[in-house]
């Protein structure tokens, strides 16, 4: 009993220490976003802010009109892209999970090959342009509709469902689409929530594809807007040495970068607790069977 209690204390202390290692960088980031650039240059990185100002958040949220447009674009692309990705991923995974599917091995190998080989950036760009998707939000969604890795996780989850469940539904006259919609998907909520989180994070953090295909600034997602703002801050110090130093001190460059990081991470942090209970179960169940 004493050994068990000692193990619990040591395990709790170790987990608390590891959790602290993850929390401290966020605390530093929050404090850095609330300090002026002059204070950051003077005191460096601190856990407790020497002064609390809101220059960075005022610069991002009040002085920039593009950030709200970028937020709406990111929400639309993330919501629509995640929904369509789940629809196509679940449809393909359900089909490949059927052992009686004709040419199942060849189709599985074809999908598997895309995990190791790709056409490259230039063919990808030419394909999107030739499809007429340039300067369209669809260029951020359609090329990423199906991730092979997530599809295989979903397929493995479908393969773990007892076949007797689907056979009983077929006896009652249900077709494959009805079985998928009313039986298989409700039983696969942990896997769907887990893969949906991965798709959502991928769409939310995506900025490179937008920088390639979107010419109109009104269509830029939030990540690209914040990147442009931070880049403009970096280039705003060009000129004479004395002018550059004066601008660097007055302009909240470092605090703006920290505030931009927090703004982009906050939505994902708010969503994650609601699907945390499905996360571990979905990853474990979907990765057991090959």
């Amino acid at each position: 009993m004493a050994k068990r209690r000692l193990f619990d204390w040591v395990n709790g202390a170790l987990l608390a220490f590891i959790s602290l290692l993850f929390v401290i960088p966020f605390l530093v980031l929050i404090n850095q976003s609330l300090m002026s650039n002059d204070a950051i240059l003077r005191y460096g990185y601190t856990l407790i802010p020497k002064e609390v100002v809101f220059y960075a958040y005022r610069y991002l949220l009040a002085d920039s009109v593009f950030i709200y447009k970028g937020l709406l674009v990111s929400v639309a692309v993330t919501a629509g892209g995640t929904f369509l990705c789940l629809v196509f991923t679940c449809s393909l995974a359900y089909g490949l999970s059927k052992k009686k599917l004709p040419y199942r091995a060849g189709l599985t190998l074809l999908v598997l090959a895309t995990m190791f080989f790709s056409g490259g950036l230039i063919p990808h760009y030419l394909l999107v342009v030739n499809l007429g998707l340039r300067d369209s939000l669809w260029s951020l969604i359609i090329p990423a509709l199906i991730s092979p890795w997530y599809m295989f996780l979903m397929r493995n989850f479908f393969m773990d469902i007892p076949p007797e469940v689907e056979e009983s539904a077929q006896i009652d006259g249900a077709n494959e689409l009805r079985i998928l919609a009313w039986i298989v998907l409700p039983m696969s909520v942990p896997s769907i929530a887990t893969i949906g989180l991965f798709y959502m994070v991928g769409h939310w953090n995506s900025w490179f594809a937008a920088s390639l295909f979107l010419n109109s600034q009104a269509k830029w997602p939030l990540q690209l807007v914040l990147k442009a703002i931070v880049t403009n801050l970096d280039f705003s110090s060009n000129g004479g040495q004395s002018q550059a130093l004066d601008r660097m001190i007055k302009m909240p460059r470092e605090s703006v970068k920290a505030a931009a990081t927090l703004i982009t991470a906050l939505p994902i942090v708010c969503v994650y607790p609601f699907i945390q209970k499905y996360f571990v179960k979905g990853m474990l169940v979907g990765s057991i069977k090959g």
Side-chain angles (χ1 to χ4, degrees):
M1 194 68 180
K3 293 182 178 180
R4 178 68 179 180
R5 190 177 298 110
L6 178 62
F7 173 78
D8 292 339
W9 277 100
V10 173
N11 191 33
L14 181 61
L15 292 177
F17 176 73
I18 295 175
S19 301
L20 194 62
L21 293 179
F22 286 100
V23 172
I24 287 178
F26 283 98
L27 294 179
V28 173
L29 198 64
I30 293 173
N31 294 333
Q32 187 177 1
S33 69
L34 296 175
M35 295 172 60
S36 66
N37 207 61
D38 188 14
I40 294 175
L41 295 176
R42 184 182 305 171
Y43 301 107
Y45 298 100
T46 60
L47 289 176
I48 300 177
K50 302 300 182 181
E51 59 177 286
V52 178
V53 294
F54 297 94
Y55 293 154
Y57 294 99
R58 188 181 303 118
Y59 180 83
L60 290 175
L61 301 178
D63 298 340
S64 178
V65 295
F66 289 103
I67 193 169
Y68 296 102
K69 295 181 180 179
L71 178 61
L72 293 177
V73 171
S74 291
V75 170
V77 171
T78 302
T82 302
F83 174 76
L84 292 177
C85 286
L86 288 176
V87 170
F88 281 84
T89 301
C90 291
S91 301
L92 180 59
Y94 181 71
L96 294 180
S97 67
K98 300 299 181 181
K99 296 182 179 180
K100 297 182 180 180
L101 178 69
Y103 309 107
R104 175 173 177 264
L107 293 174
T108 303
L109 182 62
L110 183 63
V111 177
L112 182 64
T114 61
M115 294 178 58
F116 304 101
F117 305 100
S118 64
L121 180 60
I122 295 178
H124 176 68
Y125 178 82
L126 294 177
L127 177 63
V128 172
V129 172
N130 291 331
L131 289 176
L133 300 179
R134 188 176 182 181
D135 204 25
S136 171
L137 296 182
W138 289 110
S139 62
L140 310 181
I141 298 176
I142 293 180
L145 279 179
I146 297 178
S147 169
W149 172 244
Y150 300 156
M151 191 282 300
F152 279 113
L153 289 179
M154 185 70 72
R155 187 204 64 158
N156 295 341
F157 196 98
F158 290 159
M159 293 175 65
D160 288 336
I161 297 177
E164 293 78 11
V165 176
E166 299 184 22
E167 291 174 358
S168 61
Q170 291 175 352
I171 293 174
D172 293 336
N175 54 23
E176 294 292 342
L177 183 60
R178 190 176 184 87
I179 293 174
L180 175 63
W182 295 98
I183 297 178
V184 176
L185 292 183
M187 296 177 64
S188 307
V189 171
S191 182
I192 294 174
T194 302
I195 294 175
L197 175 64
F198 290 153
Y199 275 128
M200 181 176 62
V201 172
H203 281 294
W204 181 262
N205 291 332
S206 177
W207 65 270
F208 185 68
S211 66
L212 286 178
F213 304 122
L214 299 181
N215 298 326
S216 303
Q217 293 186 358
K219 298 179 181 179
W220 283 5
L222 179 62
Q223 304 288 348
L224 189 57
V225 172
L226 292 177
K227 177 182 178 299
I229 293 176
V230 173
T231 302
N232 289 335
L233 284 176
D234 290 334
F235 282 104
S236 63
S237 60
N238 292 335
Q241 185 175 1
S242 60
Q243 294 180 356
L245 181 61
D246 182 66
R247 290 179 181 179
M248 184 177 64
I249 294 176
K250 292 182 179 180
M251 189 172 293
R253 294 173 61 252
E254 299 300 327
S255 56
V256 166
K257 293 179 182 179
T261 304
L262 290 175
I263 290 174
T264 55
L266 185 61
I268 301 299
V269 173
C270 294
V271 170
Y272 180 76
F274 295 99
I275 58 178
Q276 182 182 8
K277 59 181 179 180
Y278 303 112
F279 187 79
V280 176
K281 182 179 179 182
M283 284 301 296
L284 292 178
V285 176
S287 59
I288 292 176
K289 190 172 182 181

